[in-house]
Amino acid sequence: MVAFVTNNGFILSSAPNFRDLGGHRTAGGGTVRHGLLYRSDALHTISEPDLPVYNGLGIRQLIDLRTAHERESLPDITPEGAAYTAISVQDPTAAGANFSQALLDRERARAMFADGAAERFMFGVYRELVTDGAALTGYRDLVERAAEGPTALVFHCSAGKDRTGWGAALLLTLLGVDRAAVVADYLASNERQENTDKWMRMLSEHSGLEWEEVVPMTRVRAEYLQTSFSHIDEVYGSFDGYVFDGLGLSRATVDALRARMVA
């Protein structure tokens, strides 16, 4: 029997998708340690009332997976004592890295996202996250930083569901967490999109698209994540092939990650 840990409590009300990846059971009988790995949505939103909690988590690394445009437009609030690092996981010229800008152009938005195209767009993003050169370099960097420390570490994008979602799935799988539990953690983002919905509704109004046409980009689906795992098998032959040949991680790094993160 698999016990799903989705960390449903809200640590920060102003960043609803901020959550601890700890508590998951691993194949070796261990448990992912609490308070070492956090995933989140945008961190420019941290409110004054949330600052004492945010600063009190002992975070020592903040990893920003957003594009340069996103980072410059909405700079993070970095926790006290933490080092800030920007790690790109998308080619800045790729459609997936610039969809918010595309939504500001009505003609371009309709061509890219109308009539079911938004769903196809999302499947394409999840394939790119495991094969694009920038993604391979970026996710290798994320894993290496998690393995080397210092911890605690938080990594995030804008909604905390796609780029961050794959980062969390990668880390949890490397730690030996069961696939069903990995998917459950991923799907937990759907109940934490209050900030994203406000932003996306504003963009959809500018785009001239109906909200229903935009919805596939505002939620996660198990099929999106499965697309990444399936594409890994197609391109690299196995998850290990992706880890060691695609990402170029060393066995020593994976061992160090597990030693640090699993009790």
Short mmCIF file of all heavy atoms in Angstrom, two decimals, residues 20 30 160 205 211:
data_model
loop_
_atom_site.label_atom_id
_atom_site.label_comp_id
_atom_site.label_asym_id
_atom_site.label_seq_id
_atom_site.Cartn_x
_atom_site.Cartn_y
_atom_site.Cartn_z
N ASP A 20 6.82 21.64 1.34
CA ASP A 20 7.96 20.79 1.70
C ASP A 20 7.85 19.46 0.96
O ASP A 20 6.79 18.84 0.94
CB ASP A 20 7.90 20.56 3.21
CG ASP A 20 9.14 19.90 3.79
OD1 ASP A 20 9.93 19.30 3.04
OD2 ASP A 20 9.30 19.98 5.03
N GLY A 30 13.39 4.17 3.53
CA GLY A 30 13.65 5.42 4.20
C GLY A 30 12.53 6.43 4.00
O GLY A 30 11.49 6.12 3.41
N GLY A 160 4.79 27.28 -10.15
CA GLY A 160 5.27 26.18 -9.32
C GLY A 160 4.70 24.84 -9.70
O GLY A 160 4.64 23.92 -8.87
N GLU A 205 -7.94 37.70 -20.80
CA GLU A 205 -8.78 38.81 -21.23
C GLU A 205 -8.08 39.63 -22.31
O GLU A 205 -8.69 40.05 -23.30
CB GLU A 205 -9.13 39.69 -20.03
CG GLU A 205 -10.12 39.04 -19.07
CD GLU A 205 -10.33 39.87 -17.82
OE1 GLU A 205 -9.84 41.03 -17.79
OE2 GLU A 205 -10.99 39.38 -16.89
N TRP A 211 -11.81 31.63 -21.34
CA TRP A 211 -11.09 31.04 -20.21
C TRP A 211 -10.90 29.53 -20.41
O TRP A 211 -9.85 28.98 -20.11
CB TRP A 211 -11.83 31.32 -18.91
CG TRP A 211 -11.22 30.67 -17.69
CD1 TRP A 211 -11.78 29.72 -16.90
CD2 TRP A 211 -9.92 30.94 -17.15
NE1 TRP A 211 -10.91 29.36 -15.88
CE2 TRP A 211 -9.77 30.10 -16.01
CE3 TRP A 211 -8.87 31.79 -17.49
CZ2 TRP A 211 -8.61 30.10 -15.22
CZ3 TRP A 211 -7.71 31.78 -16.72
CH2 TRP A 211 -7.59 30.96 -15.60
#
